[in-house]
Amino acid sequence: MQIISVDEERCALCGACIAVCPSRLLKEADGSIKIIDPAQCILCGHCKAVCPEDAFQFPGLEDAEFAPVPKKATLPSPEGLMALFRSRRSTRIFQKQPVEREKIERIMEAGRFAPTGGNRQPLRYTVITTPSAIEIVRGMTVDTLVGQADRIKKAVEKKRESGEALTVGYKLQEIYAGIWREMAKLNSKGVDVLFFHAPALIVCHGNPARTGPLDVDSGLSGMQMALMAEVLGLGTCFCGFLVMAAEANPELKKTMQIPKDHKVILSFMLGYPDVTYLRLVSRKPARVQWL
Ligand SMILES: Cc1cc2nc3c(=O)[nH]c(=O)nc-3n(C[C@H](O)[C@H](O)[C@H](O)COP(=O)(O)O)c2cc1C
């Protein structure tokens, strides 16, 4: 177990660490900072991040990562950040050009620094860039989805025969079933409307039985990765269909070398866009209840 420690020589007993510890594990006693229950520490780093004397040690963590916080001037402006949020589009037309590994690594770094519940950092990532591997995953995904479409058709027919109203879930599945059948037809002609011929796939997964729920963590990480991709000149498109297929077909997970007890939560295509958007798009106004 990693245990943080306080260098008493350095510590000036300012108490800043006590105030920021989310687990309330620090207290001042007998002229030093004591860690009440080290086993409860989530290694979030707040104590070290706030300490003017840099008195905290985190064994096993890279010192280089505890660099000084960047000056405000180097951070994006609210306008710059909003422009990034609004100009990101799902890319569905990609250039053939592969994505440099160095850029993918920067994208993974962006995901790594997203917040996670309890600082558990439960996510694992699979990066697929080998064209033949993408093709195999695409074929298996399409086949799985078509299998799902057949099951959906039967379930919907049964519901209709019984005179029961179709729930939103069923209606949505019926729409998907149609999309998947068309996708399979196009796929057999070499037209990829699943991954849109993207040269890279990122799949995010984890073991909820071991770490607790992962869905929100994945979403946050995914969005940070997508925004990093955008500023690197790359395009992304989240792919819920791959997630659905991976959850329905253990063989697909195996092919992606994802452990069978892992849940696939998020995936996206990545590549250089072969499309230029000239306008921002509109969204529904935020529905907000102010209290
Ligand atoms: C969870 C999630 C799953 C998605 N799955 C797919 C998908 O399987 N295929 C696809 O073409 N787009 C997929 N998308 C992209 C959405 O269609 C897209 O984000 C939405 O239409 C808004 O467009 P924008 O991303 O360009 O703003 C997905 C998006 C999200 C957030």
Side-chain angles (χ1 to χ4, degrees):
M1 186 184 63
Q2 290 174 330
I3 297 177
I4 59 165
S5 57
V6 190
D7 183 340
E8 288 189 17
E9 300 279 298
R10 285 181 168 222
C11 174
L13 290 176
C14 69
C17 55
I18 298 174
V20 296
C21 175
S23 311
R24 304 191 170 279
L25 294 177
L26 302 172
K27 68 171 185 185
E28 189 190 330
D30 308 325
S32 67
I33 298 293
K34 301 271 187 292
I35 304 160
I36 300 165
D37 183 358
Q40 298 299 321
C41 175
I42 61 170
L43 298 171
C44 66
H46 279 232
C47 50
K48 187 168 173 85
V50 80
C51 179
E53 312 301 331
D54 196 13
F56 282 85
Q57 273 119 36
F58 277 67
L61 296 185
E62 294 290 327
D63 248 11
E65 292 203 348
F66 294 101
V69 169
K71 294 222 169 3
K72 287 260 179 300
T74 67
L75 298 177
S77 66
E79 294 76 20
L81 206 49
M82 203 60 193
L84 173 61
F85 295 156
R86 289 205 60 195
S87 56
R88 180 213 55 81
R89 288 275 71 77
S90 290
T91 299
R92 296 187 183 87
I93 310 175
F94 291 98
Q95 296 175 30
K96 280 204 174 77
Q97 186 186 340
V99 182
E100 300 85 338
R101 192 182 173 112
E102 178 260 327
K103 287 198 175 177
I104 299 181
E105 280 169 356
R106 290 184 83 167
I107 290 166
M108 307 319 301
E109 282 295 276
R112 183 162 84 95
F113 285 102
T116 58
N119 196 35
R120 284 185 288 275
Q121 304 173 60
L123 304 174
R124 299 289 173 270
Y125 303 92
T126 298
V127 178
I128 312 177
T129 54
T130 310
S132 58
I134 294 179
E135 206 178 310
I136 290 169
V137 170
R138 187 176 75 217
M140 289 181 83
T141 302
V142 172
D143 288 349
T144 307
L145 294 176
V146 169
Q148 296 282 88
D150 294 340
R151 269 189 288 280
I152 291 167
K153 189 178 171 215
K154 280 187 197 131
V156 168
E157 274 168 7
K158 221 168 153 187
K159 277 258 170 217
R160 286 224 166 89
E161 275 164 22
S162 71
E164 252 183 87
L166 287 186
T167 58
V168 176
Y170 272 99
K171 283 185 192 156
L172 203 57
Q173 287 196 48
E174 204 179 21
I175 294 169
Y176 283 157
I179 294 173
W180 296 338
R181 283 207 189 85
E182 188 58 27
M183 183 184 280
K185 266 191 223 155
L186 290 169
N187 195 49
S188 66
K189 294 178 193 155
V191 181
D192 175 13
V193 294
L194 174 67
F195 300 148
F196 307 101
H197 302 281
L201 292 180
I202 315 279
V203 185
C204 184
H205 51 94
N207 184 340
R210 209 178 300 142
T211 61
L214 306 149
D215 299 36
V216 177
D217 297 347
S218 263
L220 296 172
S221 167
M223 200 56 214
Q224 290 201 180
M225 289 191 280
L227 293 175
M228 176 57 88
E230 193 77 20
V231 297
L232 289 169
L234 292 156
T236 57
C237 183
F238 290 107
C239 187
F241 290 160
L242 174 58
V243 174
M244 288 179 199
E247 282 311 296
N249 181 357
E251 281 304 309
L252 176 54
K253 260 196 232 179
K254 201 170 158 190
T255 301
M256 294 191 284
Q257 297 182 22
I258 294 171
K260 60 172 180 278
D261 54 358
H262 277 210
K263 187 175 172 221
V264 173
I265 310 150
L266 178 141
S267 74
F268 61 91
M269 293 70 102
L270 175 71
Y272 286 95
D274 205 3
V275 50
T276 306
Y277 290 102
L278 304 176
R279 256 169 287 284
L280 303 176
V281 299
S282 178
R283 288 287 183 257
K284 288 178 188 169
R287 282 145 286 183
V288 183
Q289 178 73 54
W290 296 85
L291 296 180

